[in-house]
């Protein structure tokens, strides 16, 4: 890619939209499983420019949002300890736990620091050998490799006062969970380009065949998303269901071999709870046996955590694609970025945050003709 402007050209966007309009003959529902794509869609009004028959459903694509409440509460407990320096990316500090967040822990005297890389946290550990330094490792396949490398470095350098609070999740099992839900209306997916940059596309053909849905690997700029929609809709209209890489400038079939090798060494696949969704088998990573000494959850043995979600927060339905953010009664009133009820309102990739930031504050219009749950393609 030479220039971002090449992928924001309004004339090319109009051509793609014209082609999509000319292709669509019946209602289709597509899900993007990436918060960055969701923000791009809402920021540029792509969902409003598409034909009425094409609905974009926002999936569980925000790693901050799907971090389970129990893990958030464990982070708050660990961060409150006087011997701990707790390091995190900034978008985790406002995520509400049960009754408080990391900002409030810091305000009460906890040593909570914002870092821009897990290696920054490792440097803090080297500079403070008398303190325990914990890094909050959350995210999809995109952030897992640098976190794995940091733990690898800690062991190699003999830095024993560093540990990782792990809440990494994997996208393909989430796609399977979405499609297995009896309330699912999704008929095609826009797969996250950055995840596939790391992992490749090898896990998707089986899902496309099993659920008979097209899966199009898509980037994040307006033209990337429109091209992804065009390819997905074209497949649906033809009754096809294959994996299509519309992001070849970054994604290859095999992904990044070095990153995948580091993940396989440091982590092992495990069941993982997703906030608002529940436990998805095989959907997460934990530190492998060789690196278990660096597991903050084991090191600090935080027990007796009792979580409590706000009763009026409907972020779980938003994360499952069952509800648009502005269809929630609390959206924009009792739930705002300053007074969030759930993580989807404060994360930089949350769907509720996107709708609030880009002024999608009005109630949703009357429902348009939409696909019935799990409506199949013509040949399915």
């Amino acid at each position: 890619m030479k220039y971002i402007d090449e992928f924001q050209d309004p004339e090319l966007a109009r051509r793609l939209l014209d082609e999509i309009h000319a292709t669509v003959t019946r209602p289709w529902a597509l899900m993007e499983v990436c918060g960055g794509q969701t923000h791009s869609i809402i920021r540029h009004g792509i969902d409003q420019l598409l034909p009425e028959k094409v609905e974009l459903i926002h999936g569980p694509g925000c790693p901050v949002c799907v971090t389970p409440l129990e893990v958030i509460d464990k982070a708050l407990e660990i961060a409150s300890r006087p011997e701990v320096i707790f390091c995190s990316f900034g978008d985790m500090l406002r995520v509400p736990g049960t009754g408080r967040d990391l900002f409030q822990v810091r305000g009460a005297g906890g040593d909570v620091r914002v870092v821009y890389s897990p290696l920054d946290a490792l440097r803090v550990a080297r500079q403070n050998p008398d303190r325990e330094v914990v890094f909050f490792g959350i995210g999809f396949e995109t952030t897992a490799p640098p976190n794995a490398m940091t733990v690898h470095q800690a062991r190699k350098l003999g830095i024993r006062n560093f540990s990782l609070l792990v809440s990494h999740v994997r996208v393909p099992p989430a796609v399977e969970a979405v499609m297995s839900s009896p309330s699912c209306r999704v008929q095609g997916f826009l797969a996250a380009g950055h995840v596939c940059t790391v992992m490749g596309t090898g896990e998707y053909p089986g899902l496309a065949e099993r659920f008979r849905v097209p899966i199009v690997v898509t980037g994040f700029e307006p033209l990337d998303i429109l091209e992804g929609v065009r390819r997905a809709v074209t497949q649906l209209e033809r009754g096809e269901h294959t994996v299509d890489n519309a992001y070849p400038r970054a994604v290859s079939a095999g992904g990044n071999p070095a990153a995948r090798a580091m993940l396989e060494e440091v982590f092992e696949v495990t069941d993982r709870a997703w906030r608002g969704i529940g436990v998805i088998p095989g959907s997460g990573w934990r530190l492998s046996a060789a690196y278990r000494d660096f597991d903050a959850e084991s090191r600090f043995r935080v027990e007796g955590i009792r979580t409590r979600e706000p009763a009026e927060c409907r972020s779980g339905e938003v994360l499952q694609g069952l509800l648009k953010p502005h269809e929630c009664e609390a959206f924009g009133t009792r739930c705002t970025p300053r007074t969030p009820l759930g993580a989807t309102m404060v994360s930089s990739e949350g769907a509720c945050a996107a709708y609030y930031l880009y002024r999608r504050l009005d109630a949703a219009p009357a429902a348009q003709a939409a696909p019935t749950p799990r409506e199949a393609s013509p040949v399915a």
Side-chain angles (χ1 to χ4, degrees):
M1 180 174 63
K2 292 187 295 183
Y3 306 108
I4 288 292
D5 290 348
E6 293 178 347
F7 299 95
Q8 297 182 351
D9 187 308
E11 179 56 34
L12 291 177
R14 173 50 59 192
R15 294 179 191 175
L16 284 170
L17 283 165
D18 287 345
E19 188 166 349
I20 294 169
H21 277 264
T23 301
V24 172
T25 63
R26 54 184 297 191
W28 301 112
L30 308 177
M31 173 177 280
E32 82 276 1
V33 194
C34 170
Q37 290 175 345
T38 299
H39 273 250
S40 186
I41 288 166
I42 303 304
R43 175 186 179 187
H44 297 285
I46 291 173
D47 56 328
Q48 296 176 326
L49 295 172
L50 291 171
E52 290 186 358
K53 291 181 178 179
V54 177
E55 179 188 2
L56 294 182
I57 299 175
H58 317 310
C62 167
V64 173
C65 304
V66 302
T67 302
L69 185 58
E70 182 180 4
V71 174
I72 300 293
D73 284 350
K74 287 181 178 180
L76 296 170
E77 175 63 27
I78 294 171
S80 300
R81 300 190 178 190
E83 74 274 18
V84 169
I85 300 173
F86 194 88
C87 298
S88 173
F89 294 142
D91 55 0
M92 292 302 300
L93 268 64
R94 289 297 304 275
V95 177
T98 301
R100 57 178 178 164
D101 58 31
L102 284 169
F103 263 128
Q104 291 170 310
V105 170
R106 185 162 72 175
D111 195 344
V112 178
R113 306 185 187 184
V114 173
V115 295
Y116 298 95
S117 162
L119 290 173
D120 292 342
L122 190 60
R123 182 164 52 250
V124 172
R126 298 184 70 175
Q127 294 168 347
N128 297 269
D130 58 332
R131 304 279 299 280
E132 287 286 339
V133 176
V134 180
F135 179 72
F136 202 176
I138 66 110
F140 293 130
E141 293 92 334
T142 47
T143 55
N147 291 344
M149 173 58 76
T150 302
V151 176
H152 176 84
Q153 284 291 99
R155 190 176 75 161
K156 180 179 179 181
L157 297 172
I159 303 174
R160 309 305 301 180
N161 64 321
F162 175 82
S163 59
L164 194 69
L165 181 60
V166 183
S167 187
H168 281 301
V169 287
R170 302 172 57 242
V171 171
V175 171
E176 180 177 6
V178 167
M179 292 307 301
S180 299
S181 170
S183 59
C184 177
R185 297 188 299 112
V186 179
Q187 298 160 293
F189 285 91
L190 303 182
H194 50 9
V195 170
C196 294
T197 299
V198 175
M199 302 302 294
T201 58
E203 294 184 87
Y204 290 109
L207 293 171
E209 179 63 30
R210 175 183 170 187
F211 295 106
R212 304 184 71 82
V213 292
I215 300 176
V216 181
V217 180
T218 309
F220 309 92
E221 296 301 320
L223 295 188
D224 288 322
I225 293 169
L226 287 172
E227 175 64 6
V229 171
R230 185 191 70 81
R231 295 193 188 195
V233 166
T234 298
Q235 282 201 48
L236 288 167
E237 291 284 339
R238 293 175 177 172
E240 299 172 354
H241 49 273
T242 63
V243 177
D244 188 2
N245 182 10
Y247 198 40
R249 67 182 187 272
V251 173
S252 63
N256 185 318
R260 295 183 64 176
M262 182 56 62
L263 289 172
E264 290 174 7
E265 176 184 341
V266 176
F267 291 123
E268 62 186 23
V269 173
T270 186
D271 299 343
R272 181 68 71 183
W274 293 52
R275 190 171 188 171
I277 298 175
V279 175
I280 301 177
S283 67
W285 278 302
R286 65 179 179 183
L287 289 168
S288 64
Y291 291 88
R292 199 64 52 78
D293 289 345
F294 294 92
D295 186 347
E297 199 165 344
S298 298
R299 181 175 297 190
F300 293 95
R301 299 192 178 279
V302 181
E303 298 175 350
I305 296 292
R306 295 183 178 180
T307 63
R308 187 183 72 255
E309 291 278 8
E312 60 182 333
C313 180
R314 303 181 69 183
S315 60
E317 294 170 82
V318 173
L319 289 168
Q320 296 178 67
L322 303 176
L323 185 79
K324 292 292 196 298
H326 58 359
E327 295 172 331
C328 172
E329 297 83 356
F331 175 79
T333 54
R334 297 181 298 282
C335 183
T336 70
R338 286 186 176 274
T339 58
L341 294 176
T344 50
M345 180 56 86
V346 293
S347 169
S348 60
E349 293 189 354
C352 296
Y355 274 65
Y356 190 92
L357 178 62
Y358 301 116
R359 312 305 297 170
R360 299 286 188 87
L361 306 182
D362 297 331
Q368 301 166 347
T372 56
R374 297 294 307 278
E375 182 176 348
S377 59
V379 299

